[in-house]
Amino acid sequence: MSGIKAAGFKSSELIAGLDAVFKKYSDAEKQDQIKKTNGIFELQVTNDAKETVTWTIDVKKKGEVYKGKAQPKADVTIILSDDTLIDLASGKTNGQKAFMTGKLKTRGNMMLATKLDAVLKGAKAKL
């Protein structure tokens, strides 16, 4: 658990919570998530101190969340601030709005990036 958090990041708790939810999923729930999402998200999150941490949400192969670069390669890389990630998870903003206002950038499969909202919401419902 401690390996997933990053000091100085408000979204650390969120990611740790997501990790806990993924670990609680039954195999069937995991397979369902994987079938629905089928993607590996790499989140590059920058905090107010301009430090960056990378987290990976794998909803394609194993159904897991971990700190570090995606292995295998991410289908989409999402670059955003700590605050934007918190706003996305809380529903204060959505991915499309964040993208349009330049608060979120993507590399790779942009259509997949739209599924991140659903992954965050699904996990939040389980918390």
Side-chain angles (χ1 to χ4, degrees), residues 25 32 55 66 70 74-75 77 79 89 91 101 114:
Y25 278 150
D32 188 47
W55 282 296
Y66 55 90
D75 294 299
T77 301
I79 302 143
T101 54
T114 62

Side-chain angles (χ1 to χ4, degrees), residues 18 88-89 91 93-94 115-126:
L18 196 60
L88 278 175
T93 190
N94 65 36
K115 292 186 177 179
L116 182 63
D117 280 347
V119 171
L120 293 173
K121 277 189 189 74
K124 209 172 128 193
K126 292 251 178 208

Side-chain angles (χ1 to χ4, degrees), residues 32-51:
D32 188 47
Q33 281 291 331
I34 288 171
K35 203 178 293 162
K36 271 196 288 205
T37 311
N38 190 27
I40 298 175
F41 303 90
E42 187 177 283
L43 304 181
Q44 293 179 358
V45 184
T46 306
N47 66 8
D48 296 337
K50 300 288 176 243
E51 300 165 322

Side-chain angles (χ1 to χ4, degrees), residues 5-96:
K5 291 187 181 178
F9 287 84
K10 289 177 266 193
S11 52
S12 225
E13 289 300 322
L14 168 85
I15 297 291
L18 196 60
D19 179 46
V21 168
F22 270 72
K23 284 189 168 99
K24 274 193 276 191
Y25 278 150
S26 67
D27 283 347
E29 286 174 312
K30 224 177 241 190
Q31 289 310 313
D32 188 47
Q33 281 291 331
I34 288 171
K35 203 178 293 162
K36 271 196 288 205
T37 311
N38 190 27
I40 298 175
F41 303 90
E42 187 177 283
L43 304 181
Q44 293 179 358
V45 184
T46 306
N47 66 8
D48 296 337
K50 300 288 176 243
E51 300 165 322
T52 302
V53 64
T54 301
W55 282 296
T56 298
I57 304 171
D58 173 348
V59 205
K60 185 177 191 173
K61 300 264 186 261
K62 297 185 187 127
E64 64 181 358
V65 182
Y66 55 90
K67 192 166 148 192
K69 290 207 167 294
Q71 302 293 335
K73 176 166 122 24
D75 294 299
V76 64
T77 301
I78 299 172
I79 302 143
L80 71 175
S81 73
D82 199 22
D83 291 333
T84 302
L85 183 52
I86 294 288
D87 289 349
L88 278 175
S90 68
K92 214 180 272 178
T93 190
N94 65 36
Q96 196 174 5

